[in-house]
Amino acid sequence: MKRSIAALAAAGATVLGSAALVVMPPASAAAQGCRVDYTVTNQWQGGFQAGVKVTNLGDTITGWSLQFAFSDAGQKVAQGWNATWSQSGATATAANAEWNRTLAAGASTDLGFTGTTTGANPVPASFTLNGVTCTGSTGPTPTTTGTPTTTTTPPPGSTPLAANGQLHVCGVHLCNEANRAIQLRGMSTHGLQWFDSCYNDASLDALAKDWHADLLRIAMYVQEKGYETNAAWFTDRVNSLVGEAEERGMYAVIDFHTLTPGDPNYNLDRAKTFFAAVAARNAAKKNVIYEIANEPNGVSWSAIKNYAEQVIPVIRAADPDAVVIVGTRGWSSLGVSDGSNETEIVNNPVNATNIMYTFHFYAASHKDNYRSTVSRAAAKLPLFVTEFGTVTATGGGTLDQSSTTAWLDLLDQLKIGYANWTYSDADESSAALRPGTCAGGDYGTGTLTASGALVRSRISTPDSF
Ligand code: IDC
């Protein structure tokens, strides 16, 4: 829900009720007016996420502090961003970060946080900026009545890309341009060296328009006759598929599909060369997400972190605002398949912002202990399931419908994005299309495997962006 303090001021009582918070500024303080747009972007049992847009309506201020009080002290800021957050009793304070220290007249800055709640309405009644109550009244007409909603529906006909624009990480979620937490659901290609013929106008149209997929993950193997054998061809092909996804309003995950050897550092130089090229080429696009190592295995978290801290700056130098996803230990199992868990990451995170961590599962192989790890980790780490299968980890075997359903229900609840392995006609049960489909050119629902039909039934439901 959105609430503007301007409208509350007009309503009167609530602002007066918070008078204890208003500390009169010294005469020299310049914040003569401010506006705060506070949006609860997501809410779940015991917690919520809020975006806080602060607009300075007075003269330029250098150094600022925003304060507000929750309706009871059971509500707490857990993790905040774009400011230094603290809380005393029910009163929360956000002090400027170094880079948004100066707020020019009319300028805004977007802050946010995840919080815990005992159930009370997590919308504060009023805000002060450098002690001055924010009663500003510029900007769009705010919504002040009605039931809080956590999502809005994009206009009919609009694509996932048009509805959400440039993405960024906010707290533990992926957020759209309006700072709302969103979940992207889509499909992964198979290896481009084997199944390139499956990615053409007709198949991508079916994915966008019939499956209503939000994203295409482009799996570019590095070994196994992949990138290392012809860097120019693979780089071009990835770039062209990013463009095909963009034309259809889908996001594209560029997957540097390392698998064997499992240490991503083996491919460090190739990764730097590849990402420098694709980031430069796609920097102006809003639909690109970079996945820097598919499934590290047989390697420590610190080695993966070291790889990430060398590759991420290469991407940022060319494309500063894109989200980057980092693979995790034990085939991107958050370490679980290696006898570890998410705490090694929580205690020693990658030193970079706007990043997420990869989790992969194969429903017939990875069940309750993996699900409980994801439930727990999702409160602390931004996660993206860039690959999952409905079958066993070999990519074959019987489809496990009940485990797949349990997984996708969990990911929906946590708003974790996912891509299914694979949108291809490989002769293996994880493939969504029956063998021979790509040569035939018909991508209608009659060509789907059992896995394809199940996954399409989940992906094609309306998005709640
Ligand atoms: C599998 C393919 C299979 C191919 C093999 C080659 O399904 O056709 O022969 O790779 O290495 C992963 C990997 C993904 C695997 C998939 C299924 O990311 O490359 O694809 N899987 O085994 N992790 C867990 C399972």
Side-chain angles (χ1 to χ4, degrees), residues 190 194 221 224 257 259 294-295 362 387 393-395 421 428:
H190 203 296
W194 301 307
Y221 277 78
E224 301 185 61
H257 201 86
L259 186 59
N294 167 51
E295 290 189 352
Y362 278 73
E387 182 184 311
T394 62
W421 185 263
E428 53 190 17

Side-chain angles (χ1 to χ4, degrees), residues 64 73 94 208 284 298 323 336 375 445 450 454:
W64 50 265
V323 171
V336 179
S375 311
T445 47
L454 172 62

